[in-house]
Amino acid sequence: MARTDRAVSRPVFLIIGLGIFLAQLDGTMMNVALPTLSRAFHAANLSAVQLVITAYLAAGIAGLPLLGALADRLGRKRLFLAGFALFGVASLGCALAASLPILVSLRVVQALGGALLTGTGLALAAGHGPAGRGHSLGKLALVYALSGLLGPPIGGGLVQTFGWQAAFWLNIPLSMGGFALGFRHLPPDGPRIAAGRLDLTGATLLAGAAALLTASATAAHAHLELGGITLSWPVLAALGLFVVGGLLRWEAGTSERGVAPLFDPTLLRIPAYGAGLLLALISNAVTVGLFVLIPFWLSTGWQVNAGAIGLIFLPVALALGALAPAAGKWSDRVGAPPLTALGMGLGAGAAGLLALSAANLIWPLVVLAMLGIGAGSGLFTAPNNNAVLGSVPEHTLAMAGSMLSAARTLGVILGVSAGGALFDAVRAGHGANAAARLLFLLAAALYALNAVLCRTLRRGHMIQEAAAPEVRARAAR
């Protein structure tokens, strides 16, 4: 799969963008359908139907690395088209599901199709080489953002008008269209790479860790009953981290067993790769945490109605849409560190403005802060993606893209759970506005920390350039 030196063509980009949009949209669109699902399936509590969302997120994280490895060895076009097919068939099953357990099971299958679309889609975009790669990844960053922002209103409109099944019916023609267009326009796969046996043990461990950590993160105040033993969220988190430790030990010895690892440990020696995954996780966690916190704060602290809260997110979309494609293009010229650091610095300033407005609502500052969050995300995402995917050997692009998507999704899960749980915990003792102010300051500190880490990436790039031939040679073996 030789990397070319041309930018992604418009038809190819639209096909890749459609696949990523579908997968990401379905991760957020079902949020507004939970009350309807609860009534439709006569669920005793909301936590039962939350599995419709958490199963999708956990299965996506667990499946991304293994499916990325499959795409590297079987062909990215082939696996990307398989993603459309699997996503469409699973969506059909979800729309026809007669019970909640069947729906949850089919959401897992749907998530695997979405994992093929996201991880392989990033690899297809990056595989065209340095020329225009940053610009293409910048436009894909806009696709990620729009899918997250459009998911709730699209889902709400469909569910309210046609019922919860409509959210799944929508996916079927779009998946069919994406498959047909991809079959015609995506460039053919190059030669396949030889590799060891698939790491099914590692995939199983990763699935277990993802399930435990997701259950812990999304049910911070809930308890799980297993054989009469009550497991609280800290116990679930500890078990998840224990499984992560086992996974790392297993992956360290895969080469001795003749097994192709889920993630190539030698890639972590490339500074831009490992650091980029961490930066993406922190950025997504803080940004999504703010997106959860801001509506809670405005509605409980200032009784702002839902319509006005929806409008306050418009500046985020406008700023992100204006800067994300350009930032990707700029990163081709100046590199990722200055742009990503500036983006996180803008995020820190925006969170600081929100803290100033927490106890005395100042709408101009809130609007300016939302513009800052959007601009910061626009400047960060595409250059960071460009640095990660531009730092790895070409034959590992699908694996690297899958791990990047997994890091982003884990950040979303952490942000969603932490944003709501911390706000509720602090609000109980100090009130909504005081809780919001404290958490906005915490977000500013985390953004600032990420900005510092982004600056250290410049040194990492210099180390990478010196070590690249040796590291890439080891990774290619």
Side-chain angles (χ1 to χ4, degrees), residues 15 40 96 108 213 245 253 273 333 409 430 444:
I15 295 162
L96 299 175
V108 170
L213 292 175
Y273 177 74
R333 302 174 183 172
T409 304
H430 303 280

Side-chain angles (χ1 to χ4, degrees), residues 47 102 139 213 396 430-431:
S47 62
I102 292 176
K139 290 187 289 186
L213 292 175
T396 64
H430 303 280

Side-chain angles (χ1 to χ4, degrees), residues 272-363:
Y273 177 74
L277 296 184
L278 176 63
L279 295 174
L281 188 152
I282 296 174
S283 172
N284 263 31
V286 179
T287 302
V288 173
L290 284 175
F291 288 169
V292 171
L293 173 61
I294 289 168
F296 275 119
W297 162 57
L298 290 175
S299 62
T300 58
W302 297 100
Q303 290 73 53
V304 178
N305 61 53
I309 291 174
L311 288 176
I312 201 62
F313 282 90
L314 183 60
V316 177
L318 292 175
L320 197 151
L323 284 177
K329 191 173 183 178
W330 296 334
S331 71
D332 287 329
R333 302 174 183 172
V334 303
L339 294 171
T340 53
L342 177 59
M344 292 295 93
L346 286 175
L353 290 177
L354 289 172
L356 289 175
S357 302
N360 184 20
L361 185 60
I362 307 172
W363 280 112

Side-chain angles (χ1 to χ4, degrees), residues 25 63 104 108 122 136 231 283 304 341 350-351 385 414 426 451 457 461:
L25 183 73
V104 171
V108 170
L122 281 173
S136 297
L231 299 178
S283 172
V304 178
N385 291 354
L414 293 175
V426 180
L457 199 59
H461 276 202

Side-chain angles (χ1 to χ4, degrees), residues 379-455:
L379 287 172
F380 171 84
T381 304
N384 188 64
N385 291 354
N386 198 3
V388 172
L389 297 178
S391 68
V392 300
E394 193 275 339
H395 71 268
T396 64
L397 274 174
M399 178 193 293
S402 296
M403 291 303 296
L404 179 58
S405 295
R408 290 170 54 90
T409 304
L410 182 58
V412 169
I413 293 173
L414 293 175
V416 168
S417 60
L422 290 176
F423 182 73
D424 283 342
V426 180
R427 181 182 60 171
H430 303 280
N433 292 333
R437 181 176 183 276
L438 177 62
L439 295 180
F440 288 147
L441 290 175
L442 176 61
L446 290 173
Y447 271 135
L449 171 63
N450 223 25
V452 173
L453 293 176
C454 289
R455 291 303 304 175

Side-chain angles (χ1 to χ4, degrees), residues 47 49-60 107 210-211 214-215 218-219 413:
S47 62
V49 293
Q50 279 180 333
L51 284 172
V52 172
I53 295 175
T54 56
Y56 186 89
L57 294 173
R107 283 283 283 174
T214 302
T218 57
I413 293 173

Side-chain angles (χ1 to χ4, degrees), residues 79-109:
L79 269 292
F80 190 72
L81 294 178
F84 272 124
L86 188 60
F87 195 84
V89 171
S91 295
L92 175 61
C94 288
L96 299 175
S99 68
L100 190 58
I102 292 176
L103 177 59
V104 171
S105 300
L106 288 168
R107 283 283 283 174
V108 170
V109 178

